[in-house]
Amino acid sequence: MDTGGDRGEGWLVGAIDQGTTSTRFFLYDEHLRVVASHQMEFEQIQPQAGWVEHDPMVILSTVRECMEGAIAAARSKGLEVGPDTVRAVGLTNQRETTVVWRRSTGEPLHNAIVWMDVRTSALCQRLEQQLPGGRDEWRGVTGLPLSTYFSALKLTWLLEEVPAVRQAVEEGDALFGTIDTWLIWNLTGGATHVTDSSNASRTLLMDLRALQWSDPILKALNIPRSILPSIISSAEHIAPITSSWPLAGVPLSGCLGDQHAAMLGQRCSRGQAKATFGTGCFMLLNTGPQVCASQHGLLSTVAFQLGSRREGGRREGGRGEEGIAWEEASSTVSSASSGSSSGGSGTCYYALEGSIAIAGAAVQWLRDNLGIISSAQEVEPLAASVPDTGGVYFVPAFSGLFAPRWREDARGVIVGLSRFTTRAHIARAVLEAIAWQTREVLDAMRSDAMQSGAAGVGSSGSSASSGDSDSREGESEQFVLRVDGGASVNSLLVQMQADFLGCPVQRPADIETTALGAALAAGIGVGLWREEEVLGGKVGGYGQSAEDGGRGEEGIGALFLPLITPEVREQRFASWCKAVERSLDLNDLA
């Protein structure tokens, strides 16, 4: 199939996937089949209860080693890997995690504060009391409530509590970024200080409609604009990789937060939703080119923006390491791109999101903290060894509850224990907790979408026409939730999800849609593919790998249908809600 552009045969696209607990690098061929990959886990630093940090330099070293490992693996198969064959590299990253470093040396001024860290709880409460609109003061501008979750308060904490950060800011020698910005700055030799609109939308600092930093919010939090990166699209030529890194000279041309990349990897166009089961569980519903306000505690956020809507990809509001204005830097980047142009429209697509803090991390907790299992793979057969939880419910509110409840005073509880309870019942309750939280988010999404008409997802589990130009007015089809992420290999969990939602759940053959989305964005960014081809599913296929002949790794692609009655579903959901109530107002126990 001709998808435009002079692409030839035998080329590759790379994807960096920098997550909360591990880093990965993938190489895809022109058919979007994985030809090589490498993964490394890294340390989770927990200085106090509720505090979670990462060493930014360790993250950098894992990115380098994963790139080198995947390249070596590809070359061992006889593949040529270099600037002549790798057309582009995209990256996707854990969102909200906050880094501040010295502009002059690249030295981090503090460990990265991870998205799930709750050290800013007191700051959050103080601002709620001070601001006229309380926790929703900036929701109309940013789509987000005040929360420990987002980058703005983490950055404010660093400015207030870490003398080295304050001093560097006063000296004009500090730069702020989320993990994407930190990686791009290093991969380009300190010449490019940018973030994409999907990551920027998670900071609580960006005007969601203007796609620019909000000066009133910056002023209220005493954050200098000079330390912020420029905001670009998710798919455009950013800069070539510098000479000290693997794949030197290859253009970086795709950048998305991890959940947004998964949405693109799942080809979610308007009216379609996906849930990624990783460390947390993140559900997003594409609402099209309009912001959909939530009445149920969900987040309004950028889904993705494929291509710059500014003529020539002009960037605003930032300076490179050498003080070069972005207007000048853009021409340098253009020249390095060898004439490549983006295949994206520049349209910004928005989404409703519900973020669940603890999903796969609860399984890790069973393994690492309780010793109930010795590997994550053991949880499925253990949970399946009992027909139900024996009345046990687990609420994994380790860092509070996110959407749609937004209760930072919640803490984890296990209720319904008896002498009959075994480790298998607890394991099953952990899996059910993931699925029940996802049910709560989807209920809220359906209600918001019905009220706004943005995506037409009804509460009955049907999905109305998306409203796109090729849709027939009044057309409807059964709503299907698309799932991916590491925990989605657990078939018992996915079946529970279908049971608790009362609708089909689709698992693709390739669950690594996050990395796939980064690769797709990179390809769009240099014109390998066009946006409409990607969203229309006309580029590549789900889960084909060169090693398995296109069958999909382990043949895990499947459609799961509900197996329990609506009466049983609602009775058990009421019990879950009762357990959640028991988890509230417990933050003062420690």
Side-chain angles (χ1 to χ4, degrees), residues 42-125:
F42 55 89
E43 181 186 8
Q44 306 297 299
I45 304 168
Q46 300 178 18
Q48 298 182 30
W51 292 30
V52 187
E53 299 177 355
H54 291 158
D55 184 334
M57 299 306 293
V58 168
I59 287 178
L60 276 186
S61 69
T62 62
V63 171
R64 182 185 296 275
E65 290 183 47
C66 285
M67 292 177 73
E68 291 171 345
I71 291 168
R75 287 173 176 165
S76 71
K77 299 174 184 178
L79 295 174
E80 192 175 329
V81 183
D84 293 333
T85 55
V86 181
R87 297 293 182 88
V89 171
L91 70 89
T92 180
N93 57 283
Q94 53 170 312
R95 305 172 301 169
E96 295 99 17
T97 296
T98 298
V99 190
V100 179
W101 66 96
R102 287 196 177 277
R103 179 194 300 264
S104 57
T105 65
E107 173 194 2
L109 292 163
H110 191 274
N111 278 339
I113 301 180
V114 179
W115 56 272
M116 69 179 75
D117 184 286
V118 295
R119 75 185 65 190
T120 57
S121 293
L123 172 61
C124 187
Q125 292 168 6

Side-chain angles (χ1 to χ4, degrees), residues 152 155-156 159 205 217-225 227-228:
L155 176 56
T156 300
L159 292 168
L205 297 173
I217 298 176
L218 295 177
K219 182 177 180 181
L221 295 176
N222 295 314
I223 295 174
R225 191 183 182 105
I227 71 173
L228 302 183

Side-chain angles (χ1 to χ4, degrees), residues 412-423:
V413 297
I414 302 176
V415 299
L417 294 172
S418 69
R419 294 190 66 181
F420 174 72
T421 303
T422 68
R423 66 190 187 103

Side-chain angles (χ1 to χ4, degrees), residues 20-40:
T20 306
T21 59
S22 71
T23 299
R24 300 178 297 177
F25 184 74
F26 292 79
L27 285 169
Y28 294 87
D29 67 14
E30 68 267 31
H31 304 294
L32 286 175
R33 297 177 300 193
V34 177
V35 297
S37 65
H38 193 78
Q39 179 174 5
M40 290 186 64

